[in-house]
Amino acid sequence: MVFTFTISKGLAYVLTEFNKTNDSNGGSGKGITGKFLKAYRNIKDISGKKDASDQFLFNGVTKYHNLVILSDLQEGFDVEYLYNHITDTFEVRNLFENTISIPFEISPKL
């Protein structure tokens, strides 16, 4: 995540907290990991409270971002929607602007 070389296959990094009670109490280091990465990479934070099918989910992401962080995903978030963003061209629909396509080789990682 810190290095900028491109790998030949798509990967997504998933940080989660898992406990027996399904409580979300934090304290597992997800936030501090994101802050650490922001010191070294150009990162776009996106609220995971949005629906996965929102056509403007990645609004504001550019080819200059190295990493996209989806924070606090809703229960039942459809990760299948992210498949093409992870493995192929990263399509970004911005409000009131044309859609941009970021080639896989330079696309931000999730």
Side-chain angles (χ1 to χ4, degrees):
M1 287 190 283
V2 176
F3 301 104
T4 59
F5 63 89
T6 301
I7 53 177
S8 61
K9 60 182 178 179
L11 294 174
Y13 300 97
V14 178
L15 302 177
T16 183
E17 52 190 66
F18 178 78
N19 56 44
K20 295 178 183 177
T21 61
N22 289 332
D23 293 336
S24 296
N25 297 322
S28 60
K30 297 181 310 292
I32 199 150
T33 301
K35 289 179 182 178
F36 167 78
L37 291 171
K38 285 179 189 177
Y40 299 98
R41 296 285 130 225
N42 190 8
I43 294 177
K44 175 70 174 173
D45 276 316
I46 296 176
S47 171
K49 300 296 183 191
K50 296 180 181 179
D51 185 23
S53 62
D54 181 355
Q55 64 180 338
F56 301 111
L57 179 65
F58 295 110
N59 181 42
V61 174
T62 69
K63 66 181 181 180
Y64 302 108
H65 288 110
N66 304 111
L67 189 65
V68 174
I69 296 177
L70 294 170
S71 302
D72 300 322
L73 294 177
Q74 296 180 26
E75 187 174 335
F77 184 89
D78 186 10
V79 294
E80 186 70 24
Y81 172 76
L82 303 175
Y83 183 78
N84 284 344
H85 291 89
I86 295 168
T87 61
D88 203 358
T89 301
F90 201 105
E91 297 279 332
V92 179
R93 295 187 107 185
N94 289 310
L95 290 169
F96 310 113
E97 295 178 18
N98 293 331
T99 299
I100 61 170
S101 297
I102 306 171
F104 174 78
E105 295 76 25
I106 61 169
S107 67
K109 305 308 170 215
L110 290 172

